[in-house]
Amino acid sequence: MENETSEQPDLVVLLGPTASGKSALGIALAQEFNGEIVSADSRQVYIGLDIGTAKVTPAERALVPHHLLDVVEPQEIYSVSQFQHDAIAAIQAILQRGHQPFLVGGSAHYIQTVVDHFDIPTVAPQPDLRARLESQPLEQLLAQLAVLDPVSAETIDSKNPRRVIRALEVCLVTGKPFSQQRGISQPLYRCLLLGIDWPRPLLYQRIDSRIDERMQQGLLQEVQEQLARGLTHERLDSFGLEYRFASRLLRGEFASEAEMIQKLKYASHDFTRRQLSWFRRDKRIIWLNAEGDLLAQASSAVQTFLAHCSPT
């Protein structure tokens, strides 16, 4: 869908798989182009989930203003429609300050809701229905979704219970497939989409190193602190692989910490493959060669884009 008109404000989007270097590059670009960053990460909105989400540090936030970090407590549900509303509000405020907005993150669905201005079904959470769905095995939920909404069943992150349950919730409350209720409105922004492209073996090495670093930084302690504050293991499972595997280790589901770390690395590689498959479908993305001068490539693309020319 063509979304570039002279009347639309400019939005630079920096995306890519986990551990690709989005945060550092986003900060460097924002510093160069008088920008502010809106995080497009479905987990960094939660207060206290810092290590497992690779949230930027206070020192990094001091370099460039960041938005949509630490928005809600982890006990609360933060939906994609809430993200869309908050992200657009943050971008508009950045534009009003005369600064350049950068949308930076790896949550593809979150990014799409802003770039393509999705009309998202506004079905309020149904606590009783959600509780019933949460009590069912994920395989059973996926089978039910495949019957009610085959399109969503094919495209959804099948290992994310929260997404599966939300799609089922909308289907069951409205009586219509979730995928048929998500339309596209007139885009709000003229967007430049930049992706960071690593050779797969190097990317896997970066992922493995990041997991080792997270363990050294205290991932298990972070999970134990959340449990002490009343967060359930089931809720932790919904926050992605790092929290799911750490929670399982604390429940005694792995023979050792070393086994958990190795299996987490393999699972993260698999998740990254699915992330990249999703991103590769979007032909608007300009992929930057991470083995080259990444900042120079990105700066050139942004400069060309902001001059209202077509980047190459």
Side-chain angles (χ1 to χ4, degrees):
M1 181 174 183
E2 187 64 40
N3 67 342
E4 296 185 1
T5 69
S6 58
E7 293 80 14
Q8 291 168 324
D10 296 329
L11 174 65
V12 178
V13 182
L14 182 60
L15 54 85
T18 185
S20 57
K22 299 180 295 293
S23 297
L25 181 58
I27 289 170
L29 288 172
Q31 288 179 307
E32 181 176 351
F33 292 97
N34 190 30
E36 300 184 33
I37 292 172
V38 178
S39 169
D41 188 292
S42 62
R43 303 179 303 160
Q44 292 184 0
V45 296
Y46 292 104
I47 299 167
L49 302 188
D50 301 333
I51 297 171
T53 65
K55 196 177 291 178
V56 291
T57 64
E60 289 172 315
R61 295 188 214 186
L63 297 173
V64 169
H66 283 71
H67 307 274
L68 299 197
L69 300 175
D70 301 324
V71 177
V72 295
E73 295 290 343
Q75 291 86 350
E76 300 177 57
I77 300 296
Y78 189 82
S79 69
V80 68
S81 61
Q82 286 173 283
F83 168 79
Q84 182 190 49
H85 174 273
D86 292 348
I88 290 172
I91 291 168
Q92 294 303 115
I94 293 168
L95 290 167
Q96 288 171 5
R97 287 190 288 273
H99 295 170
Q100 175 58 48
F102 288 81
L103 184 67
V104 180
S107 296
H109 189 42
Y110 276 37
I111 292 169
Q112 278 196 307
T113 63
V114 176
V115 170
D116 294 316
H117 197 204
F118 281 160
D119 286 326
I120 301 173
T122 55
V123 174
Q126 310 289 312
D128 293 340
L129 173 58
R130 189 168 284 183
R132 290 202 303 274
L133 294 173
E134 288 174 346
S135 68
Q136 299 176 33
L138 180 57
E139 295 76 13
Q140 187 174 329
L141 296 174
L142 287 166
Q144 188 176 359
L145 184 62
V147 172
L148 296 174
D149 187 358
V151 174
S152 286
E154 285 231 355
T155 58
I156 205 163
D157 179 359
S158 62
K159 296 187 179 181
N160 188 326
R162 186 162 51 93
R163 296 273 171 84
V164 176
I165 287 171
R166 177 57 180 167
L168 273 173
E169 186 178 46
V170 173
C171 289
L172 293 169
V173 170
T174 64
K176 299 177 183 178
F178 178 66
S179 58
Q180 292 182 10
Q181 300 182 55
R182 190 185 67 183
I184 297 178
S185 300
Q186 178 66 29
L188 299 175
Y189 310 110
R190 175 180 175 267
C191 296
L192 171 68
L193 279 66
L194 298 176
I196 303 178
D197 187 27
W198 284 94
R200 199 67 60 89
L202 289 180
L203 181 59
Y204 289 165
Q205 289 177 18
R206 290 174 62 87
I207 291 169
D208 293 351
S209 295
R210 172 172 281 185
I211 289 171
D212 291 335
E213 288 171 7
R214 288 178 180 179
M215 294 300 294
Q216 293 164 7
Q217 290 167 354
L219 175 61
L220 291 180
Q221 290 85 344
E222 183 170 88
V223 170
Q224 288 170 325
E225 288 170 5
Q226 292 300 329
L227 290 168
R229 291 175 182 148
L231 209 63
T232 65
H233 283 285
E234 290 73 23
R235 180 64 176 151
L236 279 165
D237 286 351
S238 73
F239 291 131
L241 292 171
E242 295 86 358
Y243 293 102
R244 190 178 310 155
F245 275 68
S247 172
R248 289 176 59 194
L249 176 64
L250 294 174
R251 283 179 279 179
E253 295 184 21
F254 295 104
S256 66
E257 183 176 309
E259 181 195 2
M260 184 278 282
I261 291 172
Q262 191 57 57
K263 289 187 175 179
L264 173 57
K265 289 176 179 178
Y266 289 147
S268 298
H269 297 174
D270 181 59
F271 172 74
T272 297
R273 284 192 289 271
R274 288 185 281 113
Q275 252 188 321
L276 286 169
S277 294
W278 180 290
F279 285 134
R280 296 291 186 193
R281 290 198 293 262
D282 193 334
K283 302 306 179 185
R284 297 169 297 183
I285 298 173
I286 298 169
W287 290 98
L288 309 172
N289 178 10
E291 290 188 287
D293 189 330
L294 195 55
L295 180 56
Q297 296 171 68
S299 296
S300 175
V302 172
Q303 189 169 21
T304 303
F305 170 74
L306 295 179
H308 283 223
C309 303
S310 297
T312 56

